[in-house]
Amino acid sequence: MEKVPTSPAPTYMSFDEKDPKRKAQVLTQDDGVDDLPPSYIAASGENTKGSLVLELSSKWSTLNSTYSLRSGQVLYRTDTSSSWCSPNVTTIEKIQPSSGSVDRFSTLARLSYKAFSPTRIEMDGQTQDIYSIMTKASPWSFSSWSRFGRDRVVTLPDGRRARWSLGCSVCILSLEDEASTPLAAFHRHRSGFFNKNNRRPASLEIFAAAFNPTSTNTEWKDGVLTSTQGRMLDFIFVTWLYVEKIRKEREEQAKRAARSGGGGP
């Protein structure tokens, strides 16, 4: 495997949910409908204890955006280049601990897309095909299929197996256990055009069970993620960016096919 330079991983990542110095930008694109199963709806919500919510700044793109806590503190930012002569690359940056007033970021990962070749991922000092960290679920199981293709199976940093489902409007992550325990879900924005009380930005919500496999509550307190929890958050965030890219592309293909009278994807 090809080695790539990376910044040293911090032992922890700190943030202050009550910090009012920045406010998350309110998005204004058209309302979207979450196709979340009941278990996710029950686990989600503004007052869910232990959930960590990352709000997007971009109106349209998950691959060119900042990702902030509801306080406005940015944790991640993404930037995607486009070129005719070289692969498109998404650079994912993560905030680093800093004692100053200016946020410092370092590169967490890169995703390189090339036609007719597997996406390449650079992370943790290695460059490898995306299939090295996620695989397609079995095609012979009905439960392995979602609206836009087969689920993607991943092994989490703590060894648990989970799968991303490519739903009609969002991607959702669940454990491969009897309860299909919810771990993360994307929420499409609502413009609140008819009711401003329904307005919300697009966001990625990571539920408590993702951080602590033995409890419904996470261990992080006072705005501090442990090193283990930080790695889990990084892994979920990076893999979500990839599967959401796939889902979005197939959604757009389906819309174009419908407009031309060609049916679905």
PDB file of all heavy atoms in Angstrom, residues 41-73:
ATOM      1  N   ILE A  41     -36.411   7.057  13.844  1.00  0.00           N
ATOM      2  CA  ILE A  41     -37.219   8.186  14.287  1.00  0.00           C
ATOM      3  C   ILE A  41     -37.276   8.215  15.815  1.00  0.00           C
ATOM      4  O   ILE A  41     -37.197   9.266  16.445  1.00  0.00           O
ATOM      5  CB  ILE A  41     -38.634   8.096  13.697  1.00  0.00           C
ATOM      6  CG1 ILE A  41     -38.549   8.218  12.164  1.00  0.00           C
ATOM      7  CG2 ILE A  41     -39.530   9.187  14.258  1.00  0.00           C
ATOM      8  CD1 ILE A  41     -39.851   7.982  11.456  1.00  0.00           C
ATOM      9  N   ALA A  42     -37.377   7.054  16.438  1.00  0.00           N
ATOM     10  CA  ALA A  42     -37.410   6.980  17.898  1.00  0.00           C
ATOM     11  C   ALA A  42     -36.080   7.397  18.499  1.00  0.00           C
ATOM     12  O   ALA A  42     -36.025   8.010  19.566  1.00  0.00           O
ATOM     13  CB  ALA A  42     -37.766   5.560  18.335  1.00  0.00           C
ATOM     14  N   ALA A  43     -34.977   7.072  17.815  1.00  0.00           N
ATOM     15  CA  ALA A  43     -33.654   7.389  18.354  1.00  0.00           C
ATOM     16  C   ALA A  43     -33.271   8.841  18.102  1.00  0.00           C
ATOM     17  O   ALA A  43     -32.398   9.380  18.764  1.00  0.00           O
ATOM     18  CB  ALA A  43     -32.597   6.476  17.732  1.00  0.00           C
ATOM     19  N   SER A  44     -33.928   9.469  17.140  1.00  0.00           N
ATOM     20  CA  SER A  44     -33.554  10.815  16.738  1.00  0.00           C
ATOM     21  C   SER A  44     -34.324  11.868  17.534  1.00  0.00           C
ATOM     22  O   SER A  44     -35.202  11.545  18.317  1.00  0.00           O
ATOM     23  CB  SER A  44     -33.814  10.988  15.241  1.00  0.00           C
ATOM     24  OG  SER A  44     -33.436  12.273  14.833  1.00  0.00           O
ATOM     25  N   GLY A  45     -33.962  13.129  17.292  1.00  0.00           N
ATOM     26  CA  GLY A  45     -34.695  14.231  17.915  1.00  0.00           C
ATOM     27  C   GLY A  45     -33.779  15.254  18.545  1.00  0.00           C
ATOM     28  O   GLY A  45     -32.634  14.974  18.867  1.00  0.00           O
ATOM     29  N   GLU A  46     -34.297  16.457  18.734  1.00  0.00           N
ATOM     30  CA  GLU A  46     -33.506  17.550  19.278  1.00  0.00           C
ATOM     31  C   GLU A  46     -32.963  17.244  20.664  1.00  0.00           C
ATOM     32  O   GLU A  46     -31.891  17.677  21.041  1.00  0.00           O
ATOM     33  CB  GLU A  46     -34.366  18.816  19.333  1.00  0.00           C
ATOM     34  CG  GLU A  46     -34.730  19.379  17.986  1.00  0.00           C
ATOM     35  CD  GLU A  46     -33.542  20.014  17.287  1.00  0.00           C
ATOM     36  OE1 GLU A  46     -32.671  20.537  17.996  1.00  0.00           O
ATOM     37  OE2 GLU A  46     -33.485  19.977  16.052  1.00  0.00           O
ATOM     38  N   ASN A  47     -33.716  16.502  21.463  1.00  0.00           N
ATOM     39  CA  ASN A  47     -33.325  16.283  22.854  1.00  0.00           C
ATOM     40  C   ASN A  47     -32.758  14.893  23.110  1.00  0.00           C
ATOM     41  O   ASN A  47     -32.694  14.447  24.249  1.00  0.00           O
ATOM     42  CB  ASN A  47     -34.545  16.516  23.762  1.00  0.00           C
ATOM     43  CG  ASN A  47     -35.069  17.928  23.652  1.00  0.00           C
ATOM     44  OD1 ASN A  47     -34.283  18.866  23.618  1.00  0.00           O
ATOM     45  ND2 ASN A  47     -36.379  18.083  23.578  1.00  0.00           N
ATOM     46  N   THR A  48     -32.351  14.196  22.041  1.00  0.00           N
ATOM     47  CA  THR A  48     -31.789  12.867  22.222  1.00  0.00           C
ATOM     48  C   THR A  48     -30.478  12.955  22.990  1.00  0.00           C
ATOM     49  O   THR A  48     -29.529  13.560  22.529  1.00  0.00           O
ATOM     50  CB  THR A  48     -31.536  12.190  20.861  1.00  0.00           C
ATOM     51  OG1 THR A  48     -32.760  12.133  20.157  1.00  0.00           O
ATOM     52  CG2 THR A  48     -30.993  10.794  21.042  1.00  0.00           C
ATOM     53  N   LYS A  49     -30.424  12.348  24.157  1.00  0.00           N
ATOM     54  CA  LYS A  49     -29.225  12.414  24.972  1.00  0.00           C
ATOM     55  C   LYS A  49     -28.117  11.607  24.328  1.00  0.00           C
ATOM     56  O   LYS A  49     -28.290  10.449  23.992  1.00  0.00           O
ATOM     57  CB  LYS A  49     -29.503  11.869  26.376  1.00  0.00           C
ATOM     58  CG  LYS A  49     -28.323  12.048  27.332  1.00  0.00           C
ATOM     59  CD  LYS A  49     -28.691  11.625  28.731  1.00  0.00           C
ATOM     60  CE  LYS A  49     -27.529  11.865  29.690  1.00  0.00           C
ATOM     61  NZ  LYS A  49     -27.859  11.449  31.064  1.00  0.00           N
ATOM     62  N   GLY A  50     -26.981  12.242  24.131  1.00  0.00           N
ATOM     63  CA  GLY A  50     -25.840  11.548  23.577  1.00  0.00           C
ATOM     64  C   GLY A  50     -25.693  11.663  22.083  1.00  0.00           C
ATOM     65  O   GLY A  50     -24.656  11.306  21.554  1.00  0.00           O
ATOM     66  N   SER A  51     -26.706  12.151  21.353  1.00  0.00           N
ATOM     67  CA  SER A  51     -26.561  12.322  19.912  1.00  0.00           C
ATOM     68  C   SER A  51     -25.605  13.477  19.615  1.00  0.00           C
ATOM     69  O   SER A  51     -25.564  14.477  20.334  1.00  0.00           O
ATOM     70  CB  SER A  51     -27.913  12.617  19.256  1.00  0.00           C
ATOM     71  OG  SER A  51     -28.663  11.454  19.091  1.00  0.00           O
ATOM     72  N   LEU A  52     -24.844  13.326  18.559  1.00  0.00           N
ATOM     73  CA  LEU A  52     -23.972  14.389  18.083  1.00  0.00           C
ATOM     74  C   LEU A  52     -24.460  14.765  16.692  1.00  0.00           C
ATOM     75  O   LEU A  52     -24.559  13.908  15.813  1.00  0.00           O
ATOM     76  CB  LEU A  52     -22.514  13.924  18.054  1.00  0.00           C
ATOM     77  CG  LEU A  52     -21.461  14.998  17.819  1.00  0.00           C
ATOM     78  CD1 LEU A  52     -20.139  14.603  18.478  1.00  0.00           C
ATOM     79  CD2 LEU A  52     -21.235  15.283  16.338  1.00  0.00           C
ATOM     80  N   VAL A  53     -24.804  16.036  16.484  1.00  0.00           N
ATOM     81  CA  VAL A  53     -25.394  16.490  15.236  1.00  0.00           C
ATOM     82  C   VAL A  53     -24.434  17.436  14.536  1.00  0.00           C
ATOM     83  O   VAL A  53     -23.976  18.420  15.115  1.00  0.00           O
ATOM     84  CB  VAL A  53     -26.748  17.193  15.485  1.00  0.00           C
ATOM     85  CG1 VAL A  53     -27.328  17.708  14.166  1.00  0.00           C
ATOM     86  CG2 VAL A  53     -27.724  16.239  16.166  1.00  0.00           C
ATOM     87  N   LEU A  54     -24.144  17.141  13.269  1.00  0.00           N
ATOM     88  CA  LEU A  54     -23.288  17.981  12.439  1.00  0.00           C
ATOM     89  C   LEU A  54     -24.165  18.646  11.374  1.00  0.00           C
ATOM     90  O   LEU A  54     -24.759  17.959  10.542  1.00  0.00           O
ATOM     91  CB  LEU A  54     -22.198  17.147  11.768  1.00  0.00           C
ATOM     92  CG  LEU A  54     -21.223  16.437  12.702  1.00  0.00           C
ATOM     93  CD1 LEU A  54     -20.300  15.526  11.896  1.00  0.00           C
ATOM     94  CD2 LEU A  54     -20.411  17.443  13.507  1.00  0.00           C
ATOM     95  N   GLU A  55     -24.240  19.965  11.409  1.00  0.00           N
ATOM     96  CA  GLU A  55     -25.062  20.700  10.461  1.00  0.00           C
ATOM     97  C   GLU A  55     -24.223  21.194   9.288  1.00  0.00           C
ATOM     98  O   GLU A  55     -23.097  21.656   9.460  1.00  0.00           O
ATOM     99  CB  GLU A  55     -25.732  21.879  11.162  1.00  0.00           C
ATOM    100  CG  GLU A  55     -26.688  21.451  12.256  1.00  0.00           C
ATOM    101  CD  GLU A  55     -27.392  22.628  12.914  1.00  0.00           C
ATOM    102  OE1 GLU A  55     -26.889  23.774  12.777  1.00  0.00           O
ATOM    103  OE2 GLU A  55     -28.428  22.408  13.559  1.00  0.00           O
ATOM    104  N   LEU A  56     -24.786  21.088   8.091  1.00  0.00           N
ATOM    105  CA  LEU A  56     -24.097  21.509   6.879  1.00  0.00           C
ATOM    106  C   LEU A  56     -24.271  23.004   6.632  1.00  0.00           C
ATOM    107  O   LEU A  56     -25.323  23.568   6.910  1.00  0.00           O
ATOM    108  CB  LEU A  56     -24.626  20.746   5.662  1.00  0.00           C
ATOM    109  CG  LEU A  56     -24.172  19.305   5.465  1.00  0.00           C
ATOM    110  CD1 LEU A  56     -24.823  18.363   6.477  1.00  0.00           C
ATOM    111  CD2 LEU A  56     -24.450  18.841   4.040  1.00  0.00           C
ATOM    112  N   SER A  57     -23.247  23.618   6.048  1.00  0.00           N
ATOM    113  CA  SER A  57     -23.345  25.023   5.644  1.00  0.00           C
ATOM    114  C   SER A  57     -23.798  25.155   4.201  1.00  0.00           C
ATOM    115  O   SER A  57     -24.354  26.174   3.808  1.00  0.00           O
ATOM    116  CB  SER A  57     -21.993  25.724   5.809  1.00  0.00           C
ATOM    117  OG  SER A  57     -21.024  25.152   4.947  1.00  0.00           O
ATOM    118  N   SER A  58     -23.550  24.118   3.393  1.00  0.00           N
ATOM    119  CA  SER A  58     -23.860  24.179   1.970  1.00  0.00           C
ATOM    120  C   SER A  58     -25.342  23.969   1.713  1.00  0.00           C
ATOM    121  O   SER A  58     -25.998  23.156   2.367  1.00  0.00           O
ATOM    122  CB  SER A  58     -23.064  23.121   1.208  1.00  0.00           C
ATOM    123  OG  SER A  58     -23.487  23.046  -0.133  1.00  0.00           O
ATOM    124  N   LYS A  59     -25.860  24.668   0.730  1.00  0.00           N
ATOM    125  CA  LYS A  59     -27.257  24.476   0.342  1.00  0.00           C
ATOM    126  C   LYS A  59     -27.457  23.184  -0.430  1.00  0.00           C
ATOM    127  O   LYS A  59     -28.512  22.568  -0.361  1.00  0.00           O
ATOM    128  CB  LYS A  59     -27.737  25.648  -0.518  1.00  0.00           C
ATOM    129  CG  LYS A  59     -27.886  26.955   0.233  1.00  0.00           C
ATOM    130  CD  LYS A  59     -28.450  28.022  -0.692  1.00  0.00           C
ATOM    131  CE  LYS A  59     -28.648  29.335   0.050  1.00  0.00           C
ATOM    132  NZ  LYS A  59     -29.202  30.394  -0.823  1.00  0.00           N
ATOM    133  N   TRP A  60     -26.419  22.774  -1.213  1.00  0.00           N
ATOM    134  CA  TRP A  60     -26.646  21.689  -2.145  1.00  0.00           C
ATOM    135  C   TRP A  60     -25.687  20.520  -1.993  1.00  0.00           C
ATOM    136  O   TRP A  60     -26.040  19.397  -2.343  1.00  0.00           O
ATOM    137  CB  TRP A  60     -26.523  22.211  -3.589  1.00  0.00           C
ATOM    138  CG  TRP A  60     -27.298  23.447  -3.837  1.00  0.00           C
ATOM    139  CD1 TRP A  60     -26.799  24.698  -4.061  1.00  0.00           C
ATOM    140  CD2 TRP A  60     -28.721  23.579  -3.879  1.00  0.00           C
ATOM    141  NE1 TRP A  60     -27.813  25.593  -4.245  1.00  0.00           N
ATOM    142  CE2 TRP A  60     -29.006  24.929  -4.142  1.00  0.00           C
ATOM    143  CE3 TRP A  60     -29.775  22.680  -3.741  1.00  0.00           C
ATOM    144  CZ2 TRP A  60     -30.301  25.418  -4.261  1.00  0.00           C
ATOM    145  CZ3 TRP A  60     -31.060  23.160  -3.856  1.00  0.00           C
ATOM    146  CH2 TRP A  60     -31.311  24.510  -4.110  1.00  0.00           C
ATOM    147  N   SER A  61     -24.478  20.754  -1.540  1.00  0.00           N
ATOM    148  CA  SER A  61     -23.449  19.730  -1.660  1.00  0.00           C
ATOM    149  C   SER A  61     -22.918  19.252  -0.312  1.00  0.00           C
ATOM    150  O   SER A  61     -22.555  20.056   0.543  1.00  0.00           O
ATOM    151  CB  SER A  61     -22.272  20.263  -2.491  1.00  0.00           C
ATOM    152  OG  SER A  61     -21.212  19.332  -2.537  1.00  0.00           O
ATOM    153  N   THR A  62     -22.840  17.926  -0.144  1.00  0.00           N
ATOM    154  CA  THR A  62     -22.182  17.358   1.029  1.00  0.00           C
ATOM    155  C   THR A  62     -20.669  17.352   0.850  1.00  0.00           C
ATOM    156  O   THR A  62     -19.933  17.246   1.840  1.00  0.00           O
ATOM    157  CB  THR A  62     -22.649  15.910   1.264  1.00  0.00           C
ATOM    158  OG1 THR A  62     -22.339  15.113   0.100  1.00  0.00           O
ATOM    159  CG2 THR A  62     -24.140  15.849   1.528  1.00  0.00           C
ATOM    160  N   LEU A  63     -20.200  17.475  -0.391  1.00  0.00           N
ATOM    161  CA  LEU A  63     -18.773  17.365  -0.693  1.00  0.00           C
ATOM    162  C   LEU A  63     -18.079  18.717  -0.772  1.00  0.00           C
ATOM    163  O   LEU A  63     -16.864  18.780  -0.981  1.00  0.00           O
ATOM    164  CB  LEU A  63     -18.572  16.602  -2.009  1.00  0.00           C
ATOM    165  CG  LEU A  63     -19.119  15.178  -2.029  1.00  0.00           C
ATOM    166  CD1 LEU A  63     -18.866  14.527  -3.388  1.00  0.00           C
ATOM    167  CD2 LEU A  63     -18.501  14.327  -0.925  1.00  0.00           C
ATOM    168  N   ASN A  64     -18.824  19.798  -0.616  1.00  0.00           N
ATOM    169  CA  ASN A  64     -18.252  21.149  -0.531  1.00  0.00           C
ATOM    170  C   ASN A  64     -19.014  21.889   0.564  1.00  0.00           C
ATOM    171  O   ASN A  64     -19.971  22.621   0.292  1.00  0.00           O
ATOM    172  CB  ASN A  64     -18.380  21.880  -1.866  1.00  0.00           C
ATOM    173  CG  ASN A  64     -17.484  21.321  -2.939  1.00  0.00           C
ATOM    174  OD1 ASN A  64     -16.273  21.540  -2.944  1.00  0.00           O
ATOM    175  ND2 ASN A  64     -18.071  20.561  -3.862  1.00  0.00           N
ATOM    176  N   SER A  65     -18.599  21.676   1.787  1.00  0.00           N
ATOM    177  CA  SER A  65     -19.389  22.180   2.909  1.00  0.00           C
ATOM    178  C   SER A  65     -18.541  22.222   4.172  1.00  0.00           C
ATOM    179  O   SER A  65     -17.474  21.599   4.249  1.00  0.00           O
ATOM    180  CB  SER A  65     -20.607  21.276   3.134  1.00  0.00           C
ATOM    181  OG  SER A  65     -21.423  21.766   4.182  1.00  0.00           O
ATOM    182  N   THR A  66     -19.022  22.966   5.153  1.00  0.00           N
ATOM    183  CA  THR A  66     -18.502  22.833   6.510  1.00  0.00           C
ATOM    184  C   THR A  66     -19.539  22.076   7.330  1.00  0.00           C
ATOM    185  O   THR A  66     -20.729  22.091   7.015  1.00  0.00           O
ATOM    186  CB  THR A  66     -18.218  24.192   7.171  1.00  0.00           C
ATOM    187  OG1 THR A  66     -19.444  24.936   7.250  1.00  0.00           O
ATOM    188  CG2 THR A  66     -17.193  24.986   6.386  1.00  0.00           C
ATOM    189  N   TYR A  67     -19.084  21.419   8.382  1.00  0.00           N
ATOM    190  CA  TYR A  67     -19.950  20.624   9.259  1.00  0.00           C
ATOM    191  C   TYR A  67     -19.741  21.118  10.681  1.00  0.00           C
ATOM    192  O   TYR A  67     -18.642  21.030  11.227  1.00  0.00           O
ATOM    193  CB  TYR A  67     -19.608  19.139   9.142  1.00  0.00           C
ATOM    194  CG  TYR A  67     -19.991  18.563   7.793  1.00  0.00           C
ATOM    195  CD1 TYR A  67     -19.186  18.762   6.676  1.00  0.00           C
ATOM    196  CD2 TYR A  67     -21.169  17.843   7.638  1.00  0.00           C
ATOM    197  CE1 TYR A  67     -19.544  18.258   5.437  1.00  0.00           C
ATOM    198  CE2 TYR A  67     -21.531  17.329   6.400  1.00  0.00           C
ATOM    199  CZ  TYR A  67     -20.716  17.538   5.310  1.00  0.00           C
ATOM    200  OH  TYR A  67     -21.082  17.036   4.079  1.00  0.00           O
ATOM    201  N   SER A  68     -20.821  21.645  11.266  1.00  0.00           N
ATOM    202  CA  SER A  68     -20.715  22.338  12.545  1.00  0.00           C
ATOM    203  C   SER A  68     -21.663  21.760  13.573  1.00  0.00           C
ATOM    204  O   SER A  68     -22.712  21.192  13.232  1.00  0.00           O
ATOM    205  CB  SER A  68     -21.056  23.830  12.379  1.00  0.00           C
ATOM    206  OG  SER A  68     -20.315  24.421  11.346  1.00  0.00           O
ATOM    207  N   LEU A  69     -21.297  21.925  14.835  1.00  0.00           N
ATOM    208  CA  LEU A  69     -22.234  21.673  15.914  1.00  0.00           C
ATOM    209  C   LEU A  69     -23.295  22.762  15.892  1.00  0.00           C
ATOM    210  O   LEU A  69     -23.149  23.779  15.214  1.00  0.00           O
ATOM    211  CB  LEU A  69     -21.501  21.679  17.255  1.00  0.00           C
ATOM    212  CG  LEU A  69     -20.393  20.634  17.422  1.00  0.00           C
ATOM    213  CD1 LEU A  69     -19.607  20.911  18.698  1.00  0.00           C
ATOM    214  CD2 LEU A  69     -20.970  19.238  17.429  1.00  0.00           C
ATOM    215  N   ARG A  70     -24.368  22.564  16.632  1.00  0.00           N
ATOM    216  CA  ARG A  70     -25.436  23.564  16.634  1.00  0.00           C
ATOM    217  C   ARG A  70     -24.984  24.897  17.242  1.00  0.00           C
ATOM    218  O   ARG A  70     -25.617  25.921  17.048  1.00  0.00           O
ATOM    219  CB  ARG A  70     -26.660  23.018  17.374  1.00  0.00           C
ATOM    220  CG  ARG A  70     -27.363  21.910  16.587  1.00  0.00           C
ATOM    221  CD  ARG A  70     -28.783  21.703  17.059  1.00  0.00           C
ATOM    222  NE  ARG A  70     -29.509  20.827  16.154  1.00  0.00           N
ATOM    223  CZ  ARG A  70     -29.855  19.580  16.447  1.00  0.00           C
ATOM    224  NH1 ARG A  70     -29.530  19.050  17.604  1.00  0.00           N
ATOM    225  NH2 ARG A  70     -30.523  18.857  15.577  1.00  0.00           N
ATOM    226  N   SER A  71     -23.884  24.868  17.967  1.00  0.00           N
ATOM    227  CA  SER A  71     -23.328  26.110  18.497  1.00  0.00           C
ATOM    228  C   SER A  71     -22.679  26.944  17.401  1.00  0.00           C
ATOM    229  O   SER A  71     -22.437  28.129  17.568  1.00  0.00           O
ATOM    230  CB  SER A  71     -22.280  25.791  19.563  1.00  0.00           C
ATOM    231  OG  SER A  71     -21.170  25.121  18.969  1.00  0.00           O
ATOM    232  N   GLY A  72     -22.381  26.308  16.266  1.00  0.00           N
ATOM    233  CA  GLY A  72     -21.663  26.976  15.183  1.00  0.00           C
ATOM    234  C   GLY A  72     -20.216  26.567  15.080  1.00  0.00           C
ATOM    235  O   GLY A  72     -19.539  26.916  14.116  1.00  0.00           O
ATOM    236  N   GLN A  73     -19.695  25.806  16.056  1.00  0.00           N
ATOM    237  CA  GLN A  73     -18.310  25.367  16.011  1.00  0.00           C
ATOM    238  C   GLN A  73     -18.118  24.344  14.891  1.00  0.00           C
ATOM    239  O   GLN A  73     -18.763  23.300  14.861  1.00  0.00           O
ATOM    240  CB  GLN A  73     -17.897  24.741  17.342  1.00  0.00           C
ATOM    241  CG  GLN A  73     -16.518  24.099  17.348  1.00  0.00           C
ATOM    242  CD  GLN A  73     -15.422  25.111  17.080  1.00  0.00           C
ATOM    243  OE1 GLN A  73     -15.318  26.097  17.801  1.00  0.00           O
ATOM    244  NE2 GLN A  73     -14.614  24.867  16.068  1.00  0.00           N
TER     245      GLN A  73
END
